[in-house]
Amino acid sequence: DAGVIQSPRHEVTEMGQEVTLRCKLISGHNSLFWYRQTMMRGLELLIYFNNNVPIDDSGMPEDRFSAKMPNASFSTLKIQPSEPRDSAVYFCASRLHGATSGELFFGEGSRLTVL
Amino acid sequence: GENVGLHLPTLSVQEGDNSIINCAYSNSASDYFIWYKQESGKGPQFIIDIRSNMDKRQGQRVTVLLNKTVKHLSLQIAATQPGDSAVYFCAENMGGSEKLVFGKGTKLTVNP
């Protein structure tokens, strides 16, 4: 079975440009989490959804960041405008809401560099 | 990978030795804990979990110990292999929420 699929794997952009990161959930999963990873701050939860509904977005840094789930199997994380401090690896992870195990299944990440 | 950096605690062991990775968690109300392994350039991968009503759980070559009195979690890896080299994260689930909060990670290097 395919795991969580993220794209692009790498993106280099210039400050001020819009960045869109994409994530496809594992089939049958209905909870989606976006994390950001940096050397200084480690893995930080940005936002998570259950059944396409955002439940907690308290980790979203500021209004430049937005996340959506246009359908049950797909999510986007958008940064507009991007800044150099947004450079990080962005992971999405999915799970089955209400499952006994709290295991999150992570994608391979999208490495963003903002110049 | 992005997570590997100069500021991570590190543990270096010889192949075949046992490894113990420690983690202090923050919230006494957390009721579920998970250990993840992250190899360079990849996403975190689940290893083993434990609920707060347990103090020990064993998997294949791995054991997790939970000490709620001092809010301490450890991961023991038996007969460590070069393929175990990675960064290991503990994560806690705050009671009543689905949020998983991750620790800073420990870099394990296994020398052949």
Side-chain angles (χ1 to χ4, degrees):
Chain A
D1 286 342
V4 172
I5 299 173
Q6 292 187 245
S7 65
R9 291 295 314 278
H10 302 272
E11 176 144 351
V12 180
T13 191
E14 292 187 345
M15 182 174 62
Q17 296 299 305
E18 178 179 294
V19 173
T20 299
L21 307 178
R22 297 173 174 82
C23 175
K24 185 176 186 300
L25 285 68
I26 290 174
S27 177
H29 284 187
N30 55 0
S31 289
L32 182 282
F33 299 74
W34 280 103
Y35 281 85
R36 177 172 67 176
Q37 187 174 42
T38 61
M39 287 172 57
M40 294 304 296
R41 301 171 69 91
L43 270 163
E44 303 172 278
L45 177 64
L46 301 177
I47 186 171
Y48 80 94
F49 297 80
N50 284 340
N51 296 311
N52 304 4
V53 176
I55 303 301
D56 187 335
D57 65 353
S58 59
M60 294 288 262
E62 49 199 90
D63 292 345
R64 296 184 299 107
F65 285 67
S66 62
K68 294 181 179 179
M69 285 196 72
N71 59 57
S73 60
F74 184 74
S75 178
T76 59
L77 178 68
K78 190 170 292 188
I79 309 171
Q80 167 63 20
S82 58
E83 297 182 3
R85 61 192 167 120
D86 302 329
S87 297
V89 181
Y90 291 82
F91 289 100
C92 73
S94 72
R95 66 183 290 259
L96 182 61
H97 175 52
T100 304
S101 168
E103 177 183 357
L104 290 181
F105 295 81
F106 282 81
E108 299 283 73
S110 294
R111 180 175 295 188
L112 173 65
T113 302
V114 183
L115 302 174
Chain B
E2 190 67 30
N3 55 292
V4 176
L6 297 175
H7 306 288
L8 281 178
T10 58
L11 175 65
S12 185
V13 301
Q14 290 300 120
E15 182 177 0
D17 288 351
N18 296 332
S19 302
I20 299 177
I21 300 170
N22 296 302
C23 176
Y25 63 92
S26 58
N27 191 336
S28 57
S30 293
D31 57 8
Y32 181 68
F33 305 89
I34 306 181
W35 280 99
Y36 279 86
K37 172 187 180 183
Q38 187 176 24
E39 297 175 346
S40 183
K42 296 190 175 183
Q45 183 179 19
F46 174 91
I47 302 173
I48 191 168
D49 58 1
I50 189 168
R51 296 208 172 269
S52 60
N53 60 354
M54 303 171 67
D55 52 22
K56 181 179 180 179
R57 190 166 187 218
Q58 288 185 293
Q60 186 177 14
R61 281 203 307 120
V62 295
T63 300
V64 56
L65 299 178
L66 174 62
N67 185 330
K68 293 182 288 293
T69 302
V70 295
K71 292 191 287 187
H72 183 267
L73 198 64
S74 69
L75 177 70
Q76 300 177 1
I77 305 173
T80 316
Q81 303 167 0
D84 295 327
S85 294
V87 177
Y88 289 80
F89 295 92
C90 65
E92 60 184 299
N93 172 242
M94 308 295 184
S97 165
E98 291 194 80
K99 294 170 65 169
L100 266 186
V101 177
F102 282 78
K104 294 300 184 187
T106 297
K107 181 182 179 184
L108 174 66
T109 300
V110 181
N111 302 307

Coordinates of all heavy atoms in Angstrom, one line a residue, chain A residues 3-77:
Chain A
G3 N 2.2 4.8 1.0 CA 2.2 5.6 2.3 C 1.7 7.0 2.0 O 1.1 7.3 0.9
V4 N 1.9 7.9 2.9 CA 1.6 9.3 2.8 C 2.6 9.8 1.7 O 3.8 9.6 1.8 CB 1.8 10.1 4.1 CG1 1.7 11.5 3.9 CG2 0.8 9.5 5.1
I5 N 2.0 10.6 0.8 CA 2.8 11.1 -0.4 C 2.8 12.6 -0.3 O 1.8 13.2 -0.3 CB 2.2 10.6 -1.7 CG1 2.2 9.1 -1.8 CG2 3.0 11.2 -2.9 CD1 1.5 8.5 -3.0
Q6 N 4.0 13.1 -0.3 CA 4.2 14.6 -0.3 C 4.9 15.1 -1.5 O 5.8 14.4 -2.1 CB 5.0 15.0 0.9 CG 4.4 14.8 2.3 CD 5.1 15.4 3.4 OE1 5.6 14.7 4.3 NE2 5.2 16.7 3.4
S7 N 4.5 16.3 -1.9 CA 5.2 16.9 -3.1 C 5.2 18.4 -2.9 O 4.3 18.9 -2.2 CB 4.6 16.5 -4.4 OG 3.2 17.0 -4.5
P8 N 6.2 19.1 -3.4 CA 7.5 18.5 -3.9 C 8.4 18.0 -2.8 O 8.2 18.4 -1.6 CB 8.1 19.8 -4.6 CG 7.7 20.9 -3.8 CD 6.3 20.6 -3.3
R9 N 9.4 17.2 -3.1 CA 10.3 16.8 -2.1 C 11.3 17.9 -1.8 O 11.8 18.0 -0.6 CB 11.1 15.5 -2.6 CG 10.2 14.3 -2.7 CD 9.7 13.8 -1.4 NE 10.7 13.8 -0.3 CZ 11.6 12.8 -0.1 NH1 11.6 11.7 -0.9 NH2 12.5 12.8 0.8
H10 N 11.6 18.7 -2.7 CA 12.5 19.8 -2.5 C 12.0 21.0 -3.3 O 11.5 20.9 -4.4 CB 13.9 19.5 -3.0 CG 14.5 18.3 -2.4 ND1 15.3 18.3 -1.3 CD2 14.5 17.0 -2.8 CE1 15.7 17.1 -1.0 NE2 15.3 16.3 -1.9
E11 N 12.1 22.2 -2.6 CA 11.7 23.4 -3.3 C 12.6 24.5 -2.8 O 12.8 24.7 -1.6 CB 10.3 23.8 -3.0 CG 9.9 25.1 -3.6 CD 8.5 25.2 -4.2 OE1 7.8 24.1 -4.2 OE2 8.0 26.3 -4.5
V12 N 13.2 25.2 -3.8 CA 14.0 26.4 -3.5 C 13.3 27.6 -4.1 O 12.9 27.6 -5.3 CB 15.4 26.3 -4.1 CG1 16.2 27.5 -3.8 CG2 16.1 25.1 -3.5
T13 N 13.0 28.6 -3.4 CA 12.3 29.8 -3.9 C 12.9 31.0 -3.3 O 13.7 31.0 -2.4 CB 10.8 29.6 -3.5 OG1 10.0 30.6 -4.2 CG2 10.6 29.9 -2.0
E14 N 12.4 32.1 -3.8 CA 12.9 33.4 -3.3 C 11.9 34.1 -2.4 O 10.7 33.8 -2.5 CB 13.2 34.4 -4.5 CG 14.4 33.9 -5.4 CD 14.7 34.9 -6.4 OE1 13.9 35.8 -6.7 OE2 15.9 34.8 -7.0
M15 N 12.4 34.8 -1.5 CA 11.6 35.5 -0.5 C 10.5 36.3 -1.2 O 10.7 36.9 -2.2 CB 12.5 36.5 0.3 CG 11.7 37.2 1.3 SD 12.9 38.2 2.3 CE 13.5 39.4 1.1
G16 N 9.3 36.1 -0.7 CA 8.1 36.8 -1.2 C 7.3 36.0 -2.2 O 6.1 36.3 -2.4
Q17 N 7.8 34.9 -2.6 CA 7.1 34.0 -3.5 C 6.1 33.1 -2.7 O 6.3 32.9 -1.5 CB 8.0 33.1 -4.3 CG 9.0 33.8 -5.2 CD 8.2 34.6 -6.3 OE1 7.4 34.0 -7.0 NE2 8.4 35.9 -6.4
E18 N 5.1 32.7 -3.4 CA 4.1 31.8 -2.8 C 4.6 30.3 -2.9 O 5.2 30.0 -3.9 CB 2.8 31.9 -3.5 CG 1.7 30.9 -2.9 CD 0.4 31.1 -3.6 OE1 -0.3 32.2 -3.5 OE2 -0.1 30.2 -4.3
V19 N 4.4 29.6 -1.8 CA 4.8 28.2 -1.8 C 3.6 27.3 -1.5 O 2.9 27.7 -0.5 CB 5.9 27.9 -0.7 CG1 6.2 26.5 -0.6 CG2 7.2 28.7 -1.0
T20 N 3.4 26.3 -2.2 CA 2.3 25.3 -1.9 C 2.9 23.9 -1.8 O 3.5 23.4 -2.7 CB 1.3 25.3 -3.0 OG1 0.7 26.7 -3.1 CG2 0.2 24.4 -2.7
L21 N 2.7 23.3 -0.6 CA 3.1 22.0 -0.4 C 1.9 21.1 -0.4 O 0.8 21.5 0.1 CB 3.8 21.9 1.0 CG 5.0 22.9 1.2 CD1 5.6 22.8 2.6 CD2 6.0 22.7 0.1
R22 N 2.1 19.9 -0.9 CA 0.9 19.0 -1.1 C 1.1 17.7 -0.4 O 2.2 17.2 -0.2 CB 0.7 18.8 -2.6 CG 0.4 20.0 -3.3 CD 0.3 19.8 -4.8 NE -0.1 21.0 -5.5 CZ 0.6 22.0 -5.8 NH1 1.9 22.0 -5.5 NH2 0.1 23.1 -6.4
C23 N 0.0 17.1 0.0 CA 0.0 15.9 0.8 C -1.2 15.0 0.4 O -2.3 15.5 0.4 CB 0.0 16.2 2.3 SG -0.1 14.7 3.4
K24 N -0.9 13.7 0.2 CA -2.0 12.8 -0.1 C -2.0 11.8 1.1 O -1.0 11.1 1.4 CB -1.8 12.0 -1.4 CG -2.9 11.1 -1.8 CD -2.7 10.5 -3.1 CE -3.9 9.6 -3.6 NZ -4.2 8.5 -2.7
L25 N -3.1 11.6 1.8 CA -3.2 10.8 2.9 C -3.2 9.3 2.5 O -3.5 9.0 1.3 CB -4.5 11.0 3.7 CG -4.7 12.2 4.5 CD1 -4.7 13.5 3.7 CD2 -5.9 12.2 5.4
I26 N -2.9 8.4 3.4 CA -3.1 7.0 3.2 C -4.6 6.7 3.1 O -5.4 7.3 3.8 CB -2.5 6.2 4.4 CG1 -1.0 6.3 4.4 CG2 -3.0 4.7 4.3 CD1 -0.3 5.7 5.6
S27 N -4.9 5.9 2.1 CA -6.3 5.6 1.8 C -7.0 5.0 3.1 O -6.5 4.1 3.8 CB -6.4 4.5 0.7 OG -7.7 4.1 0.5
G28 N -8.2 5.6 3.4 CA -8.9 5.2 4.6 C -8.6 6.0 5.8 O -9.4 6.0 6.8
H29 N -7.5 6.8 5.8 CA -7.2 7.6 7.0 C -8.1 8.9 6.9 O -8.3 9.4 5.8 CB -5.7 8.0 7.0 CG -4.9 6.9 7.5 ND1 -3.5 7.0 7.7 CD2 -5.2 5.6 7.8 CE1 -3.0 5.9 8.2 NE2 -4.0 5.0 8.2
N30 N -8.4 9.4 8.1 CA -9.2 10.6 8.1 C -8.7 11.7 9.0 O -9.4 12.7 9.3 CB -10.7 10.3 8.4 CG -10.8 9.5 9.7 OD1 -9.8 9.3 10.4 ND2 -12.0 9.2 10.1
S31 N -7.5 11.5 9.5 CA -6.9 12.6 10.3 C -5.6 13.0 9.6 O -4.8 12.1 9.3 CB -6.6 12.2 11.8 OG -7.8 12.0 12.5
L32 N -5.3 14.3 9.6 CA -4.2 14.8 8.8 C -3.4 15.8 9.7 O -4.1 16.7 10.2 CB -4.6 15.4 7.5 CG -3.7 16.0 6.5 CD1 -3.1 17.3 6.9 CD2 -2.5 15.0 6.2
F33 N -2.1 15.7 9.8 CA -1.3 16.5 10.6 C -0.2 17.2 9.7 O 0.4 16.4 8.9 CB -0.7 15.7 11.7 CG -1.6 15.1 12.7 CD1 -2.4 14.0 12.3 CD2 -1.8 15.6 14.0 CE1 -3.2 13.4 13.2 CE2 -2.7 15.0 14.9 CZ -3.4 13.9 14.5
W34 N 0.0 18.4 9.9 CA 1.2 19.1 9.3 C 2.2 19.5 10.4 O 1.8 20.1 11.4 CB 0.8 20.4 8.5 CG 0.2 20.2 7.2 CD1 -1.1 20.2 6.8 CD2 0.9 19.9 6.0 NE1 -1.3 20.0 5.5 CE2 -0.1 19.8 4.9 CE3 2.2 19.7 5.7 CZ2 0.3 19.5 3.6 CZ3 2.6 19.4 4.3 CH2 1.6 19.4 3.3
Y35 N 3.4 19.0 10.2 CA 4.5 19.4 11.1 C 5.6 20.1 10.3 O 5.8 19.9 9.1 CB 5.2 18.1 11.7 CG 4.4 17.4 12.8 CD1 3.4 16.5 12.6 CD2 4.7 17.7 14.1 CE1 2.7 15.9 13.6 CE2 4.0 17.1 15.2 CZ 3.0 16.2 14.9 OH 2.3 15.6 15.9
R36 N 6.4 20.9 11.1 CA 7.6 21.6 10.5 C 8.8 21.1 11.4 O 8.7 21.1 12.6 CB 7.4 23.1 10.6 CG 8.6 23.9 10.1 CD 8.3 25.3 10.0 NE 8.1 26.0 11.3 CZ 7.9 27.3 11.4 NH1 7.8 28.1 10.4 NH2 7.7 27.8 12.6
Q37 N 9.9 20.8 10.7 CA 11.1 20.4 11.4 C 12.3 21.3 11.1 O 12.6 21.5 9.9 CB 11.4 19.0 11.1 CG 12.6 18.4 11.9 CD 12.8 16.9 11.7 OE1 12.7 16.4 10.5 NE2 13.0 16.2 12.7
T38 N 12.9 21.8 12.1 CA 14.1 22.6 12.0 C 15.1 22.2 13.0 O 14.7 21.5 14.0 CB 13.9 24.1 12.2 OG1 13.4 24.3 13.5 CG2 12.9 24.7 11.2
M39 N 16.4 22.5 12.8 CA 17.4 22.1 13.7 C 17.2 22.8 15.1 O 17.4 22.2 16.1 CB 18.8 22.4 13.2 CG 19.2 21.5 12.0 SD 20.7 22.1 11.3 CE 21.9 22.2 12.7
M40 N 16.7 24.0 15.0 CA 16.6 24.7 16.3 C 15.4 24.4 17.1 O 15.4 24.3 18.3 CB 16.6 26.2 16.0 CG 17.9 26.8 15.4 SD 19.3 26.4 16.5 CE 18.8 27.4 17.9
R41 N 14.3 24.1 16.4 CA 13.0 23.9 17.1 C 12.5 22.5 17.1 O 11.4 22.2 17.7 CB 12.0 24.9 16.6 CG 12.4 26.3 16.7 CD 11.4 27.3 16.0 NE 10.1 27.3 16.6 CZ 9.8 28.2 17.5 NH1 10.6 29.1 18.0 NH2 8.5 28.1 18.0
G42 N 13.1 21.6 16.3 CA 12.7 20.2 16.2 C 11.4 20.1 15.4 O 11.1 20.9 14.5
L43 N 10.6 19.1 15.8 CA 9.3 18.9 15.1 C 8.2 19.6 15.8 O 7.9 19.4 17.0 CB 9.0 17.4 15.2 CG 9.5 16.5 14.0 CD1 9.5 15.1 14.4 CD2 8.7 16.7 12.8
E44 N 7.6 20.5 15.1 CA 6.5 21.3 15.6 C 5.2 21.0 14.9 O 5.2 21.1 13.6 CB 6.8 22.8 15.5 CG 8.1 23.3 16.0 CD 8.3 24.8 15.6 OE1 8.8 25.0 14.5 OE2 8.0 25.7 16.4
L45 N 4.1 20.8 15.6 CA 2.8 20.6 15.0 C 2.3 22.0 14.6 O 2.2 22.9 15.4 CB 1.9 20.0 16.0 CG 0.4 19.8 15.5 CD1 0.4 18.8 14.3 CD2 -0.5 19.3 16.6
L46 N 1.9 22.1 13.3 CA 1.3 23.3 12.8 C -0.2 23.3 12.9 O -0.8 24.3 13.4 CB 1.8 23.5 11.3 CG 3.3 23.6 11.1 CD1 3.5 23.8 9.6 CD2 3.9 24.8 11.8
I47 N -0.8 22.2 12.4 CA -2.2 22.2 12.3 C -2.6 20.7 12.1 O -1.9 19.9 11.6 CB -2.8 23.0 11.1 CG1 -4.3 23.1 11.1 CG2 -2.2 22.5 9.8 CD1 -4.9 24.1 10.1
Y48 N -3.8 20.3 12.6 CA -4.3 19.0 12.3 C -5.8 19.1 12.0 O -6.6 20.0 12.5 CB -4.0 18.0 13.3 CG -4.8 17.9 14.6 CD1 -5.9 17.0 14.7 CD2 -4.4 18.6 15.7 CE1 -6.6 16.9 15.8 CE2 -5.1 18.5 16.9 CZ -6.2 17.6 16.9 OH -6.9 17.5 18.1
F49 N -6.3 18.1 11.2 CA -7.7 18.0 10.7 C -8.2 16.6 11.1 O -7.5 15.6 11.1 CB -7.7 18.1 9.2 CG -7.3 19.4 8.5 CD1 -5.9 19.7 8.4 CD2 -8.2 20.3 8.1 CE1 -5.5 20.8 7.8 CE2 -7.8 21.5 7.5 CZ -6.4 21.8 7.3
N50 N -9.5 16.6 11.4 CA -10.2 15.4 11.5 C -11.4 15.5 10.5 O -12.2 16.5 10.5 CB -10.8 15.1 12.9 CG -9.7 14.6 13.8 OD1 -8.7 14.1 13.4 ND2 -10.0 14.8 15.1
N51 N -11.5 14.5 9.6 CA -12.6 14.5 8.6 C -12.7 15.8 7.9 O -13.8 16.4 7.8 CB -13.9 14.1 9.3 CG -13.9 12.7 9.9 OD1 -13.6 11.8 9.3 ND2 -14.3 12.6 11.2
N52 N -11.6 16.3 7.4 CA -11.5 17.5 6.6 C -11.7 18.8 7.4 O -11.6 19.9 6.8 CB -12.5 17.6 5.5 CG -12.4 16.4 4.6 OD1 -11.6 15.5 4.8 ND2 -13.2 16.4 3.5
V53 N -12.0 18.7 8.7 CA -12.2 19.9 9.5 C -11.0 20.3 10.3 O -10.5 19.4 11.1 CB -13.4 19.7 10.5 CG1 -13.6 20.9 11.4 CG2 -14.7 19.4 9.6
P54 N -10.5 21.5 10.3 CA -9.4 21.9 11.1 C -9.7 21.9 12.6 O -10.7 22.5 13.0 CB -9.0 23.3 10.6 CG -10.2 23.8 10.0 CD -11.0 22.6 9.4
I55 N -9.0 21.1 13.4 CA -9.3 21.0 14.8 C -8.4 21.9 15.6 O -8.9 22.6 16.6 CB -9.1 19.6 15.3 CG1 -9.9 18.6 14.4 CG2 -9.4 19.4 16.7 CD1 -11.4 18.9 14.5
D56 N -7.2 22.0 15.3 CA -6.3 22.8 16.1 C -5.2 23.5 15.2 O -4.4 22.7 14.6 CB -5.6 22.0 17.2 CG -4.7 22.8 18.2 OD1 -4.3 23.9 17.8 OD2 -4.5 22.3 19.3
D57 N -5.3 24.8 15.0 CA -4.3 25.4 14.2 C -3.4 26.4 15.0 O -2.8 27.3 14.5 CB -5.0 26.2 13.1 CG -5.8 27.3 13.6 OD1 -6.0 27.5 14.8 OD2 -6.3 28.1 12.8
S58 N -3.3 26.1 16.3 CA -2.6 27.0 17.2 C -1.1 27.0 16.9 O -0.4 27.9 17.3 CB -2.8 26.6 18.7 OG -2.4 25.3 18.9
G59 N -0.6 26.0 16.2 CA 0.8 26.0 15.8 C 1.2 26.7 14.5 O 2.4 26.8 14.2
M60 N 0.2 27.2 13.8 CA 0.5 27.9 12.6 C 1.1 29.2 12.9 O 0.6 30.0 13.7 CB -0.8 28.2 11.8 CG -1.5 26.9 11.3 SD -0.6 26.2 9.9 CE -1.6 26.8 8.6
P61 N 2.3 29.5 12.4 CA 3.1 30.6 12.8 C 2.4 32.0 12.7 O 2.5 32.8 13.6 CB 4.4 30.6 12.0 CG 4.4 29.2 11.4 CD 3.0 28.7 11.3
E62 N 1.8 32.2 11.6 CA 1.2 33.5 11.4 C 0.3 33.4 10.2 O 0.1 32.4 9.6 CB 2.3 34.6 11.2 CG 3.3 34.2 10.2 CD 4.6 35.0 10.4 OE1 5.5 34.6 11.1 OE2 4.7 36.1 9.7
D63 N -0.3 34.6 9.9 CA -1.3 34.6 8.8 C -0.7 34.2 7.4 O -1.5 33.9 6.5 CB -2.0 35.9 8.7 CG -2.9 36.2 9.9 OD1 -3.2 35.2 10.6 OD2 -3.3 37.3 10.1
R64 N 0.5 34.2 7.3 CA 1.1 33.9 6.0 C 0.9 32.4 5.7 O 1.1 32.0 4.5 CB 2.6 34.2 6.0 CG 2.9 35.7 6.1 CD 4.4 36.0 6.0 NE 5.2 35.3 7.0 CZ 6.0 34.2 6.8 NH1 6.1 33.7 5.6 NH2 6.7 33.7 7.8
F65 N 0.6 31.6 6.7 CA 0.5 30.2 6.6 C -1.0 29.8 6.5 O -1.8 30.3 7.3 CB 1.1 29.4 7.7 CG 2.6 29.4 7.7 CD1 3.4 30.5 7.9 CD2 3.2 28.1 7.5 CE1 4.8 30.4 7.8 CE2 4.6 28.1 7.5 CZ 5.4 29.2 7.6
S66 N -1.4 28.9 5.6 CA -2.8 28.4 5.6 C -2.7 27.0 5.1 O -1.9 26.6 4.3 CB -3.6 29.3 4.6 OG -3.2 29.2 3.3
A67 N -3.7 26.2 5.6 CA -3.8 24.8 5.2 C -5.2 24.5 4.9 O -6.2 25.0 5.6 CB -3.3 23.9 6.3
K68 N -5.4 23.6 3.9 CA -6.8 23.2 3.5 C -6.8 21.7 3.3 O -5.8 21.1 3.0 CB -7.2 24.0 2.3 CG -7.3 25.5 2.4 CD -7.8 26.1 1.1 CE -8.0 27.6 1.3 NZ -8.4 28.2 0.0
M69 N -8.0 21.2 3.3 CA -8.3 19.9 2.9 C -9.4 19.9 1.9 O -10.6 19.9 2.3 CB -8.6 18.9 4.0 CG -7.4 18.5 4.8 SD -7.7 17.1 5.9 CE -7.8 15.8 4.6
P70 N -9.2 20.1 0.6 CA -10.3 20.2 -0.4 C -11.1 18.9 -0.5 O -12.2 19.0 -1.0 CB -9.5 20.6 -1.7 CG -8.1 20.1 -1.5 CD -7.8 20.2 0.0
N71 N -10.5 17.8 -0.2 CA -11.2 16.6 -0.1 C -10.6 15.7 0.9 O -9.6 16.0 1.6 CB -11.3 15.9 -1.5 CG -9.9 15.6 -2.0 OD1 -9.1 14.9 -1.4 ND2 -9.6 16.1 -3.2
A72 N -11.2 14.5 1.1 CA -10.8 13.6 2.2 C -9.4 13.0 2.1 O -8.9 12.5 3.1 CB -11.9 12.5 2.4
S73 N -8.9 13.1 1.0 CA -7.6 12.4 0.8 C -6.4 13.3 0.5 O -5.3 12.8 0.3 CB -7.7 11.3 -0.3 OG -8.0 11.9 -1.5
F74 N -6.6 14.6 0.5 CA -5.6 15.5 0.0 C -5.6 16.8 0.8 O -6.6 17.3 1.3 CB -6.0 15.9 -1.5 CG -4.9 16.7 -2.1 CD1 -3.7 16.2 -2.5 CD2 -5.2 18.1 -2.4 CE1 -2.8 17.0 -3.1 CE2 -4.3 18.9 -3.0 CZ -3.1 18.4 -3.4
S75 N -4.4 17.3 1.0 CA -4.3 18.6 1.8 C -3.2 19.4 1.2 O -2.2 18.9 0.6 CB -3.9 18.3 3.3 OG -3.7 19.5 4.0
T76 N -3.3 20.7 1.3 CA -2.2 21.7 0.9 C -1.9 22.6 2.1 O -2.7 22.9 2.9 CB -2.7 22.6 -0.2 OG1 -3.9 23.3 0.2 CG2 -3.0 21.7 -1.5
L77 N -0.6 22.9 2.1 CA -0.1 23.9 3.1 C 0.5 25.0 2.2 O 1.4 24.8 1.4 CB 1.0 23.3 4.0 CG 1.6 24.3 5.0 CD1 0.6 24.7 6.0 CD2 2.8 23.6 5.7

